[in-house]
Amino acid sequence: MKYTCFIPLFFFLFGCANVQEKHFITDADYRSRVSEQFNHRKTLAEGRTEQLFAVFENPELKLEEREALQFLYAYMPLNDLADYSGDFFLRQVQTAFAAREHFAWGKTVPEDVFRHFVLVYRVNNEDLDDARTVFFNELKDRIAGMTMKDAALEVNHWCHEIVTYRGTDGRTSAPLALKRTSWGRCGEESTFAVTALRAVGIPARQCYTPRWVHTDDNHAWVEVWIDGKWHYMGACEPEPELNIAWFDVPVKRAMMVHTNVFGQYRGAEQKNTETPLYSVINLLSNYTATKTLEVVVVDTDNNPVKGAKVKFKVYNYAELYPIAETTTDSNGKASLVTGFGDLIVWASDGCVYDSDKAGAYGYIKVSANETSVTVMLNRRADEPFVETFELVPPPEQKIAEIAPEKRALNAKRFAQEDSIRNAYMATFINEQSAKALLDEKSITDNNLRKELTRYLMLSQGNYAEIAAFIRKENVESPYFLPFLASLTEKDLRDTPESILADHFNAGVKELLIPNHTETVDFLARYVLSPRIERELLRSWRSFLVKKIEAIKTEHITATNIINWIKENITVVDSENYYNCPLSPRGVYELRHADSRSRNIFFVALCRAAAIPARLEPATEKPQYFVDGQWTEATFETAVVEQSAKALLTFNNFDKNIVKPQYYMHYTLARFDGDDFVTLDYESDAAFKKLPVTIILAHGFYRLMIGSRANDGSVTVNTSYFTLDSSLKGVPKKVTITLPEPAGKMQIMGIVDMNTRIDMTDGSFSTLKELSKGQGATICFIDPWKEPSKHVLQDLPAFRDELETWNGAIVFMIPDDKALNSFDASAFKNLPAQSVFGIDANRTLLKGVANTLQIDSGENFPLTLFLNSNGGILFHSEGYRIGIGENIVKTIRINKETMAQ
């Protein structure tokens, strides 16, 4: 009896122990691979052993938690190893497990889906914070008792209460920073929504079309895993059902939709890229019809080229942008699942062109129905030529419409959620509160008060931090306003006071030591400022000032810094695959960095030593200021001659229909070993008006000029040329002549110009009266959705041209979209003649749709240009960048036609 009782008790206790200590990764082979990769990263990150790995010594750490942490450490990008702690990652693991246990659906999520799409704390290249914990606590009661599907939809409604769309710069704010500000671009909205969904145990991933092909720009949204299947939804843009979003129509014209997957992924999706740390998986077939494009790369003797780089490119923002990249196999073959539109396949041998065989490249245009092509590497980077080609996107497709009653209910929720968000945003600092703060500081200088008020207003949800910075610092210092001016608006919205104080105080102290002859504004921008590229601002200055003593000679120079970096920092580009920069302090501690972060570190180290430094705006190459000029910092063994420069002048063709804009109509790119890299002059004020002359390094260049037609197709002129010493200091001249897409303007239909327009302010008029004989632009909008907001943000750029034209500009809102919370005054800087009208029962919209033989559903905005007789000369349906430009083009062509 003793043995009989003992044996069941033993197995019971043994079983309980096993339950408590179950593996997070049940596949022994996969677990072994994770362990091997974890040990590799542990060696790589030995410079931060205490910060990262002390957490594993915690005796309370469970086996599941340990294995989950090992999985994260094994595959996380380099910047996460450099800038976050083991305690932070443990909190992410514990909160993910808590959500899995708390919600009923947690037990239905397969291990691999949970591992890659719930546990992982990072969505893309965002700054990280403890949003997962905050969101779990805020959402758990709200979605209690719901099904997994209803919970996902409800989480998206919560996201919309917190965040709405507004364009901003390319740095992705952390989710909690976005929550404070309440708005962001689509990449930030989707990061926010994925974080919220994962916080409650619902598998989610951010999906991107890296570039549209029917229009400029890109878009990001969310996919959620519900009961065994992936579905999509617009991030922070809730709909009554899954698989419904404003981008339903444009995504069917996409050539690529993809997502990054953290770790070694064994899912069934096609992998565009697969590395030891991550994969990029192809999701396009979830949205539209696809084909498999087979590519063979050969040399000039028709021999297959193994290991050639292959890039699949589309035209967007006046450049050829890669939507996928791969390398050829031993037979010179590569493939891609893509859509039925035109693209460019680019191939190169990947070598620097310093011999007869190296530096070869080639490309070919692929038409919609082609499924196999051969690319010959028959071009070299010293052969000038010109060419013209046309790229046509996939055709537009119809979509099913959702029931009107469901959409009406959803619209009511939208209005309620907008009111909640607007009420919160109304708590941001106002001019009266700013005045009180400045009075408290006894600031009497009117200009200083005006500028400080402006910065406080720009800080929005982060106003308490900026107010604290102003309270504590000497705002009358000559460096204070230039210091604030060096920051971006996003910096003002998400940077803590302590970080700003570290840079301002330590920086000013360093500036007092050397004898600088540069202006205060120059020193504030290139020494004092913490803003270097698009990185998150962190407190690195005081830290680096102390560490500089380790490399300091009697008088430290940029050359000392370059040599120290060469000797102490190892560049490992492949390890930082999300391309989120390491902080300068993180680089110093980790002693590893990708080349981009290494360059930022160089600039930071120079600034900490009071040496002016920057990343050159067009090329982003690191530079330091010495002897009155900018000098490039070179870290590679092969030093390029930096004194070899040439001049290039851009001229405007006087018969262009619109004023050419950089990145909208044309770009310049320089050949860099195996491909052309676009130079960034978008923000260069000199390019606002042509002609302009710039200084460039010698090399092989490509000028690309494009014009997009109303159907989304684009006509492209390219010219390839060399800048070298043969120019003898005389500028090479190029003329920006916009190509004219084939085909003439035709009357597409007629709108009655006597149509009555009922304004949102209660007045009314007719199209004829509003047009003043000049014609009319009518834009049917859904003011709550991103595509319509794009139009409202696009037109101010053409305000002068449109006001000179002085025809009617009418924004028509279907009455089912015109909710009480709509405020037309929120849309600033529209042309003066702009009015907002209500389309009762969609009467005008239905009439236009019938005339154009299109659906009158939800594909907003629908934009028309009418001549003075009501003839439709232009129409654009759905999401498209550049509508304002197309309207201006149409106005000018119409005038020229009438004058003939």
Side-chain angles (χ1 to χ4, degrees):
M1 290 291 295
K2 291 179 181 179
Y3 287 104
T4 304
C5 293
F6 174 78
I7 292 174
L9 179 61
F10 171 82
F11 282 109
F12 172 78
L13 294 174
F14 182 78
C16 289
N18 277 342
V19 169
Q20 292 176 345
E21 290 296 290
K22 63 183 179 181
H23 285 291
F24 170 65
I25 303 172
T26 57
D27 184 320
D29 177 64
Y30 193 96
R31 193 164 64 243
S32 175
R33 293 187 182 193
V34 169
S35 179
E36 181 180 352
Q37 179 65 19
F38 170 77
N39 289 328
H40 164 72
R41 298 316 267 317
K42 192 172 183 180
T43 301
L44 182 147
E46 60 185 0
R48 301 193 75 236
T49 296
E50 178 64 25
Q51 297 97 316
L52 287 169
F53 300 101
V55 69
F56 288 94
E57 299 172 8
N58 182 354
E60 303 295 324
L61 196 66
K62 299 175 182 177
L63 179 61
E64 265 198 315
E65 294 173 341
R66 180 180 299 275
E67 290 182 357
L69 277 174
Q70 288 180 340
F71 170 76
L72 295 180
Y73 278 51
Y75 301 113
M76 67 176 55
L78 200 62
N79 68 295
D80 293 348
L81 291 171
D83 290 324
Y84 301 92
S85 69
D87 289 336
F88 172 81
F89 295 120
L90 179 58
R91 289 197 299 274
Q92 309 311 304
V93 169
Q94 290 174 334
T95 307
F97 286 166
R100 185 179 63 180
E101 294 303 313
H102 183 83
F103 298 104
W105 53 78
K107 301 172 181 61
T108 71
V109 178
E111 177 185 311
D112 61 333
V113 175
F114 180 88
R115 184 168 63 232
H116 294 287
F117 303 111
V118 176
L119 174 71
V120 175
Y121 55 89
R122 177 172 288 287
V123 179
N124 197 322
N125 61 352
E126 74 275 15
D127 306 318
L128 300 179
D129 57 26
D130 276 308
R132 185 192 289 263
T133 303
V134 174
F135 291 0
F136 172 78
N137 289 326
E138 290 197 22
L139 284 164
K140 63 181 180 179
D141 293 336
R142 179 165 175 156
I143 60 174
M146 292 185 179
T147 65
M148 195 178 194
K149 172 188 172 182
D150 289 343
L153 292 170
E154 187 61 29
V155 168
N156 207 22
H157 277 287
W158 176 83
C159 290
H160 180 245
E161 285 181 14
I162 306 298
V163 177
T164 190
Y165 174 82
R166 194 185 300 177
T168 181
D169 67 39
R171 176 167 68 84
T172 305
S173 288
L176 291 180
L178 206 66
K179 188 174 187 288
R180 284 195 300 275
T181 297
S182 285
W183 57 267
R185 56 182 169 78
C186 62
E188 292 172 314
E189 287 182 299
S190 50
T191 295
F192 186 89
V194 169
T195 301
L197 289 158
R198 290 182 181 178
V200 295
I202 297 176
R205 57 196 186 192
Q206 180 191 57
C207 300
Y208 255 105
T209 178
R211 290 291 187 272
W212 296 114
V213 290
H214 71 287
T215 184
D216 291 330
D217 214 352
N218 60 2
H219 192 55
W221 58 92
V222 174
E223 282 190 351
V224 290
W225 185 95
I226 305 292
D227 300 329
K229 187 177 180 180
W230 288 99
H231 305 264
Y232 70 87
M233 58 186 182
C236 306
E237 298 171 328
E239 295 284 356
E241 297 289 347
L242 297 171
N243 299 328
I244 297 174
W246 67 257
F247 52 85
D248 285 345
V249 173
V251 77
K252 291 187 178 298
R253 306 182 75 182
M255 295 290 283
M256 178 54 58
V257 175
H258 65 201
T259 190
N260 292 329
V261 183
F262 184 108
Q264 288 285 297
Y265 182 60
R266 296 177 175 178
E269 300 94 338
Q270 188 208 28
K271 297 181 177 68
N272 290 345
T273 301
E274 185 174 19
T275 77
L277 298 177
Y278 75 104
S279 296
V280 180
I281 60 174
N282 189 334
L283 305 174
L284 185 63
S285 58
N286 291 355
Y287 298 90
T288 192
T290 60
K291 67 180 181 183
T292 299
L293 175 61
E294 303 285 350
V295 177
V296 178
V297 179
V298 299
D299 61 20
T300 52
D301 296 322
N302 266 326
N303 298 312
V305 179
K306 176 184 177 181
K309 293 183 179 180
V310 179
K311 298 180 181 180
F312 301 87
K313 299 189 175 190
V314 300
Y315 179 93
N316 195 286
Y317 282 131
E319 65 177 349
L320 294 177
Y321 187 90
I323 57 172
E325 303 181 31
T326 188
T327 56
T328 55
D329 61 18
S330 58
N331 296 313
K333 294 182 177 181
S335 66
L336 181 74
V337 173
T338 187
F340 287 92
D342 298 349
L343 52 72
I344 300 292
V345 177
W346 180 280
S348 64
D349 59 13
C351 301
V352 178
Y353 51 99
D354 57 0
S355 69
D356 290 339
K357 290 293 183 181
Y361 71 95
Y363 61 91
I364 189 171
K365 173 189 167 183
V366 182
S367 298
N369 293 317
E370 290 184 277
T371 57
S372 62
V373 294
T374 298
V375 181
M376 180 175 287
L377 303 181
N378 59 353
R379 295 194 180 277
R380 290 178 52 81
D382 54 7
E383 300 170 348
F385 65 101
V386 297
E387 66 177 344
T388 298
F389 55 86
E390 182 184 36
L391 296 173
V392 180
E396 194 165 292
Q397 302 176 46
K398 293 184 177 181
I399 60 169
E401 294 292 341
I402 193 168
E405 56 272 17
K406 284 189 175 182
R407 192 165 292 285
L409 287 172
N410 198 62
K412 289 183 179 179
R413 288 206 65 179
F414 245 72
Q416 179 188 17
E417 290 154 11
D418 282 334
S419 66
I420 292 170
R421 185 183 344 96
N422 291 338
Y424 164 70
M425 295 178 73
T427 66
F428 295 172
I429 195 168
N430 55 32
E431 290 187 6
Q432 184 177 359
S433 299
K435 179 180 181 298
L437 169 61
L438 301 181
D439 289 344
E440 176 189 326
K441 285 278 291 185
S442 300
I443 299 171
T444 58
D445 183 274
N446 287 335
N447 183 65
L448 181 58
R449 291 179 67 93
K450 179 182 177 182
E451 288 301 299
L452 292 177
T453 298
R454 183 170 67 87
Y455 288 120
L456 284 165
M457 300 292 284
L458 288 172
S459 65
Q460 298 188 339
N462 195 48
Y463 69 88
E465 298 293 329
I466 302 304
F469 181 57
I470 290 173
R471 280 194 181 95
K472 294 179 182 179
E473 304 304 331
N474 176 18
V475 298
E476 295 182 351
S477 162
Y479 288 106
F480 193 81
L481 284 183
F483 173 82
L484 288 177
S486 75
L487 307 177
T488 68
E489 290 188 11
K490 186 172 288 184
D491 294 335
L492 296 169
R493 296 195 302 270
D494 68 4
T495 306
E497 175 273 332
S498 59
I499 292 176
L500 297 177
D502 170 66
H503 286 283
F504 183 72
N505 293 320
V508 169
K509 183 179 179 181
E510 288 298 307
L511 283 174
L512 296 177
I513 299 171
N515 294 317
H516 283 290
T517 59
E518 296 84 7
T519 66
V520 167
D521 286 347
F522 182 90
L523 293 174
R525 184 174 181 182
Y526 298 119
V527 176
L528 190 58
S529 178
R531 168 55 54 217
I532 298 173
E533 199 223 40
R534 291 180 297 279
E535 75 285 7
L536 174 69
L537 298 188
R538 296 176 184 270
S539 297
W540 48 259
R541 192 178 299 266
S542 297
F543 176 84
L544 291 183
V545 166
K546 294 176 182 177
K547 298 301 180 183
I548 279 174
E549 297 302 322
I551 61 173
K552 197 166 187 178
T553 57
E554 183 175 342
H555 176 65
I556 191 168
T557 66
T559 302
N560 301 143
I561 293 173
I562 291 169
N563 291 335
W564 188 90
I565 291 175
K566 284 181 177 179
E567 294 170 5
N568 292 275
I569 305 300
T570 301
V571 173
V572 281
D573 284 320
S574 62
E575 298 272 354
N576 202 33
Y577 55 91
Y578 274 115
N579 201 29
C580 190
L582 284 70
S583 73
R585 177 169 181 164
V587 172
Y588 184 90
E589 292 180 344
L590 199 64
R591 301 299 170 98
H592 289 78
D594 60 302
S595 54
R596 178 188 179 197
S597 301
R598 184 269 319 273
N599 293 345
I600 293 172
F601 176 64
F602 165 77
V603 173
L605 207 49
C606 283
R607 292 184 182 182
I611 299 170
R614 69 176 187 178
L615 298 182
E616 200 281 327
T619 64
E620 295 195 337
K621 293 185 180 297
Q623 295 180 329
Y624 58 96
F625 195 75
V626 63
D627 296 331
Q629 65 180 1
W630 289 105
T631 301
E632 190 170 305
T634 305
F635 297 98
E636 288 68 31
T637 303
V639 178
V640 178
E641 177 58 50
Q642 298 180 44
S643 61
K645 302 291 184 181
L647 300 175
L648 181 68
T649 297
F650 294 89
N651 292 310
N652 181 28
F653 180 55
D654 59 7
K655 292 187 179 180
N656 284 329
I657 294 175
V658 296
K659 183 175 71 174
Q661 298 180 49
Y662 199 86
Y663 265 134
M664 181 65 72
H665 304 102
Y666 69 101
T667 55
L668 183 70
R670 186 174 188 268
F671 196 76
D672 188 17
D674 60 2
D675 199 355
F676 286 89
V677 178
T678 301
L679 305 181
D680 187 358
Y681 293 109
E682 183 179 18
S683 301
D684 191 327
F687 277 78
K688 300 303 180 186
K689 184 178 181 180
L690 300 181
V692 62
T693 300
I694 58 175
I695 302 173
L696 295 165
H698 284 182
F700 190 54
Y701 288 85
R702 179 184 67 200
L703 175 65
M704 179 166 287
I705 310 172
S707 291
R708 195 178 291 278
N710 293 344
D711 64 355
S713 63
V714 64
T715 302
V716 183
N717 291 340
T718 57
S719 57
Y720 297 76
F721 55 87
T722 299
L723 296 180
D724 58 24
S725 57
S726 66
L727 293 169
K728 298 180 180 180
V730 178
K732 178 179 175 61
K733 296 181 180 180
V734 295
T735 300
I736 308 303
T737 303
L738 300 182
E740 295 186 13
K744 298 181 179 180
M745 297 184 69
Q746 296 179 340
I747 299 295
M748 306 173 192
I750 299 292
V751 173
D752 185 357
M753 294 297 282
N754 293 310
T755 299
R756 171 172 163 150
I757 304 296
D758 292 303
M759 314 295 188
T760 54
D761 63 4
S763 62
F764 68 89
S765 187
T766 67
L767 282 174
K768 186 175 182 178
E769 292 168 340
L770 293 170
S771 71
K772 302 172 187 175
Q774 301 299 314
T777 294
I778 305 177
C779 188
F780 296 91
I781 62 172
D782 179 349
W784 313 106
K785 297 295 180 68
E786 179 179 335
S788 295
K789 291 179 182 179
H790 270 296
V791 177
L792 292 162
Q793 293 171 6
D794 187 23
L795 288 187
F798 299 91
R799 177 173 176 167
D800 290 345
E801 293 96 327
L802 293 170
E803 288 183 351
T804 300
W805 162 63
N806 202 32
I809 300 177
V810 184
F811 295 98
M812 293 299 293
I813 307 171
D815 59 355
D816 55 300
K817 304 291 183 184
L819 304 171
N820 291 334
S821 56
F822 173 72
D823 180 9
S825 66
F827 302 103
K828 309 293 186 183
N829 300 317
L830 289 169
Q833 69 268 44
S834 301
V835 298
F836 288 81
I838 302 298
D839 188 12
N841 300 314
R842 299 194 175 196
T843 303
L844 182 56
L845 174 59
K846 290 175 182 176
V848 168
N850 183 60
T851 297
L852 294 173
Q853 293 297 294
I854 60 175
D855 290 333
S856 60
E858 299 299 317
N859 196 17
F860 295 104
L862 171 61
T863 307
L864 315 175
F865 178 80
L866 315 179
N867 64 17
S868 58
N869 296 316
I872 302 173
L873 300 181
F874 164 85
H875 93 277
S876 170
E877 186 180 6
Y879 178 73
R880 183 176 295 178
I881 298 298
I883 288 177
E885 176 188 336
N886 279 304
I887 291 171
V888 171
K889 281 183 180 180
T890 306
I891 291 170
R892 293 188 181 180
I893 293 173
N894 183 46
K895 281 186 177 181
E896 291 174 2
T897 303
M898 295 301 293
Q900 292 175 357

